[in-house]
Amino acid sequence: MHNDIPTYSGGLGVLAGDTIRSGADLKLPMVAVTLMSRKGYFTQQLDSGGKQTELPVLWDPAAYMKLLPHRVTVQIEERDVQVQAWLYSVKSLTGGSVPVFFLDTDLPANAPEHREITAHLYGGGPEYRLKQEIVLGLGGVRMLHALEFEIRKFHMNEGHASFLTLELLNRFKKPVEDVWDEKLVWDKRAVKNLCVFTTHTPVEAGHDKFPYDLVMKVMGEIVPLPLLEELAGRDGLNMTLLALNLSRYINGVAKKHGEVSMSMFPGYEINAITNGVHSYTWTCDSFKKIFDKYLPGWANEPELFVRVGRIPDDEIWEAHMEAKRHLFAYIRQQTGIELLPDILTLGFARRATAYKRADLLFRDLERLEAIGTGKLQLVYAGKAHPKDMAGKRLIQNIFDYKEKLKDKIRIVYLTGYNMDIALKIVSGVDVWLNTPLRPLEASGTSGMKATHNGVMNFSVLDGWWIEGHIEGFTGWSIGPAPQELTPGADADARDAEDLYHKLEHETIRIYYTERHTWIRMMQNAIGKNAYYFNSHRMMRRYVTEAYLR
Ligand SMILES: *Cc1c(COP(=O)(O)O)cnc(C)c1O
């Protein structure tokens, strides 16, 4: 919801915030439910070699939200656990508002271990996660009921909330009417009609699975075990499967991701609604100023970006240079390193995890040196999950390259990647680099933020970029066309080769010798990419294609 409310880790959480902000702007009748994460995700510390350590985040919910008097109960390990809710209101300048309920078990009435259930985001093992999902799914529906909301559609973002379907199943439990179909006792159709499910990643770790003995011990037989096995899988409770089986409308978050999800879960009709970002949130001050001047109303009607051609070239360039100076001032302050505003600067900031291949650019150091010496600067940022050893290694590798290239290519790695730093980087670099291993980037959203600030994408054809990319027009691709479904063993080598080739012959050349073409491309990033990849368009799609069905 906010940079200083540390209840997010990366793209999924930021997207949830953008979804709600657009919902408020568009005055949609919606409410949101999440967990408190009183101890946040973590504060990142990096030593001089790039070794990450994690510190707990201390924050005070009362500074941002209001505790409500309502209490609901869920059963965990056959004991009552009380759940309370904090209200955070997202208010739009349009007059719309969306309440967000942060569920919290930190109550004196609860056993000490139960008070901790809503403490950590992505902390602990499967048992801890299971307890959190009970609070979110079952506790969430009960809380909405206690608050007297009548919900016409439940939208589960990722499988984390799928236990809400079990609460609904119990609510719609009916005596047998049709003797031919005894399963009508559990009115699955009624539940399905109420539910929408969005899957957000093809990465296996994003799909929670629990053994049934654990489920029985922690949650108990909330619906009969055979029914649960039928809905959530026989060899373990799969949260994604549960949501798939009890949702009328299902979607992935980009067209390609919809197809990839269909092959992961054969037999389900999986649609696609491509993600977007909240335009006002992800536009830096200097661009806000020129958009206000030439495209008044753009923030609540991003379609107005189609008229970006009205903005004079020199004003676009000046707005960009202002953002660049702003970023460089921040870099100087955080790292002491001085970057030069006239040098082409590439940005790469995202979760440090193997499939995103943050080190692809360094595959051939000599080549990079030959292409980039004196012509290139690099800005990196990103946290690795505390248990992701490969991700942590990646950060250290980049620190090593930084040292090796010291006198030739200036490289900075910013500590503590968060929403504030994200906006500074996506608006303050010249090009946004993205090198995931296909097809693992379901959508990606940071590149969409870049386009709102006239920053072009230079990216592997995966996720949203397959839809946003026009070669040499909105940016550049890296590697083969997306039709090749699975990358071969030589994917790294091929992608790196293409990356170096285009960096030298397109990106660097145009930046230094064809400023006019460059500014045209900046305009295209805004007029063709930001125009479409915003969360207002996304929410209108959800309303007409999913919610009103
Ligand atoms: C936008 C954002 C992300 C998501 O970026 P991806 O392109 O999906 O990797 C992650 N973290 C923060 C802080 C963000 O603002």
Side-chain angles (χ1 to χ4, degrees), residues 96-246:
S97 82
V98 171
V100 186
F101 300 105
F102 286 75
L103 303 180
D104 179 18
T105 59
D106 188 14
L107 280 158
N110 290 332
E113 75 267 28
H114 292 158
R115 296 182 69 161
E116 282 285 303
I117 292 174
T118 54
H120 300 278
L121 177 67
Y122 297 139
E127 181 163 338
Y128 185 65
R129 177 68 74 97
L130 177 60
K131 291 176 184 170
Q132 291 189 315
E133 295 186 346
I134 292 170
V135 170
L136 181 64
L138 303 180
V141 178
R142 289 173 196 173
M143 184 57 77
L144 290 173
H145 193 69
L147 292 162
E148 296 178 24
F149 284 103
E150 247 180 71
I151 305 297
R152 280 176 285 172
K153 232 22 137 173
F154 290 89
H155 185 175
M156 292 172 268
N157 269 294
E158 207 49 290
H160 304 145
S162 8
F163 284 148
L164 75 82
T165 59
L166 303 182
E167 180 72 5
L168 296 178
L169 272 175
N170 277 333
R171 194 175 292 173
F172 288 104
K173 195 162 46 179
K174 284 198 304 216
V176 188
E177 281 166 15
D178 182 344
V179 289
W180 300 108
D181 186 0
E182 61 172 18
K183 290 193 179 100
L184 263 184
V185 173
W186 302 93
D187 195 346
K188 286 181 276 184
R189 200 174 319 149
V191 175
K192 265 181 108 158
N193 284 337
L194 279 175
C195 292
V196 170
F197 173 54
T198 303
T199 174
H200 287 265
T201 180
V203 176
E204 204 50 47
H207 301 266
D208 291 324
K209 290 191 193 77
F210 304 107
Y212 279 111
D213 50 2
L214 180 69
V215 174
M216 287 304 125
K217 176 176 98 106
V218 175
M219 183 163 70
E221 201 165 0
I222 184 142
V223 300
L225 185 56
L227 177 68
L228 193 56
E229 285 177 333
E230 177 197 321
L231 293 168
R234 309 234 168 257
D235 50 346
L237 189 157
N238 182 326
M239 295 296 277
T240 303
L241 213 49
L242 180 60
L244 287 170
N245 280 324
L246 287 171

Side-chain angles (χ1 to χ4, degrees), residues 8-11 14 282 350 356 417-419 422 444-447 449:
Y8 66 98
S9 133
V14 175
W282 295 109
R350 35 185 64 83
K356 298 201 182 228
Y417 186 43
N418 60 22
M419 290 173 68
T445 51
S446 56
K449 299 170 191 168

Side-chain angles (χ1 to χ4, degrees), residues 275-291:
N275 280 339
V277 298
H278 188 252
S279 300
Y280 191 77
T281 301
W282 295 109
T283 300
C284 69
D285 289 341
S286 56
F287 271 89
K288 274 181 180 157
K289 234 178 275 162
I290 54 170
F291 291 162

Side-chain angles (χ1 to χ4, degrees), residues 217-373:
K217 176 176 98 106
V218 175
M219 183 163 70
E221 201 165 0
I222 184 142
V223 300
L225 185 56
L227 177 68
L228 193 56
E229 285 177 333
E230 177 197 321
L231 293 168
R234 309 234 168 257
D235 50 346
L237 189 157
N238 182 326
M239 295 296 277
T240 303
L241 213 49
L242 180 60
L244 287 170
N245 280 324
L246 287 171
S247 296
R248 175 69 61 222
Y249 181 91
I250 304 159
N251 72 292
V253 290
K255 288 189 169 59
K256 172 71 174 291
H257 177 236
E259 290 164 24
V260 171
S261 303
M262 286 247 251
S263 60
M264 284 176 79
F265 306 104
Y268 296 92
E269 188 197 338
I270 303 184
N271 305 274
I273 295 180
T274 303
N275 280 339
V277 298
H278 188 252
S279 300
Y280 191 77
T281 301
W282 295 109
T283 300
C284 69
D285 289 341
S286 56
F287 271 89
K288 274 181 180 157
K289 234 178 275 162
I290 54 170
F291 291 162
D292 281 344
K293 182 169 165 195
Y294 292 99
L295 313 168
W298 64 279
N300 203 36
E301 198 178 347
E303 292 93 330
L304 289 171
F305 286 138
V306 77
R307 289 164 69 74
V308 67
R310 289 165 49 94
I311 309 175
D313 283 8
D314 57 335
E315 292 192 44
I316 288 209
W317 187 252
E318 188 37 48
H320 173 61
M321 288 309 286
E322 194 179 323
K324 203 170 176 180
R325 288 190 296 268
H326 184 65
L327 169 65
F328 288 8
Y330 177 76
I331 289 172
R332 193 183 315 126
Q333 179 208 324
Q334 198 201 85
T335 67
I337 297 172
E338 190 81 42
L339 295 187
L340 304 171
D342 292 330
I343 303 280
L344 174 67
T345 307
L346 266 49
F348 186 108
R350 35 185 64 83
R351 280 186 306 120
T353 190
Y355 86 84
K356 298 201 182 228
R357 297 190 299 183
D359 55 354
L360 189 74
L361 181 62
F362 303 101
R363 205 180 146 85
D364 183 343
L365 279 187
E366 267 173 46
R367 179 114 180 248
L368 180 61
E369 224 179 285
I371 296 171
T373 300

